[in-house]
């Protein structure tokens, strides 16, 4: 969670000026590494529903954060950089769900994941950055 917060903070430093691809590119690379850690098997023999849930929630995190970061890399304008920051903030929900699944708490993971649509609705109504 701390590394994700660092990536969002890195992008947000240029949120109003835009112009730099380094922040979003570093955030994209950091999020890819974090996704790899989330979906990696912690034990050599773990398979089944726990592994599938961890992989699905890790992919949900990656899908939430990767697209806005990639857009900010391709065009580091202030509006796209601000969307990248918003995407990073919204991605904390699927990240926390994936972390819960990775720690072996599937009910908590699914409960937190159920909050994703609610976060998306409220992000449209209120500027989350």
């Amino acid at each position: 969670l701390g590394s994700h917060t660092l990536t969002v903070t890195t992008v947000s430093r240029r949120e109003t000026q835009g112009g730099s691809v380094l922040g979003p590119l570093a955030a994209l690379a950091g999020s890819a590494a974090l996704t790899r850690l989330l979906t990696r098997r912690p034990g050599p023999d773990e398979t089944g529903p726990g592994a599938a849930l961890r992989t699905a929630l890790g992919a949900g995190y990656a899908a939430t954060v990767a697209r806005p970061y990639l857009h900010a890399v391709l065009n580091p304008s202030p509006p796209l950089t601000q969307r990248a920051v918003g995407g990073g903030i919204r991605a904390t929900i699927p990240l926390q769900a994936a972390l819960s699944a990775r720690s072996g708490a599937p009910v908590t993971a699914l409960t937190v994941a159920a909050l994703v649509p609610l976060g998306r609705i409220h992000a449209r109504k209120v500027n989350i950055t």
Side-chain angles (χ1 to χ4, degrees):
L1 194 55
S3 63
H4 174 74
T5 302
L6 179 63
T7 63
V8 175
T9 303
T10 301
V11 176
S12 73
R13 291 182 185 196
R14 304 280 304 192
E15 162 175 31
T16 58
Q17 298 98 2
S20 175
V21 299
L22 295 178
L25 188 60
L28 187 61
S31 297
L34 184 56
T35 300
R36 173 70 179 121
L37 289 172
L38 287 171
T39 57
R40 184 181 63 174
R41 286 191 209 177
D45 59 342
E46 184 183 334
T47 58
L53 179 62
R54 185 180 64 247
T55 301
L57 292 174
Y61 164 72
T64 303
V65 79
R67 185 175 177 185
Y69 283 167
L70 183 60
H71 286 171
V73 167
L74 296 174
N75 179 4
S77 65
L80 290 179
T81 304
Q82 290 168 2
R83 283 188 199 149
V85 173
I89 292 169
R90 281 192 327 276
T92 57
I93 298 172
L95 173 60
Q96 290 175 5
L99 289 169
S100 295
R102 183 163 172 74
S103 69
V107 173
T108 302
L110 291 172
T111 303
V112 172
L115 298 172
V116 170
L118 188 61
R120 187 177 302 131
I121 289 168
H122 286 291
R124 290 183 187 140
K125 294 180 181 182
V126 177
N127 184 2
I128 60 174
T129 64

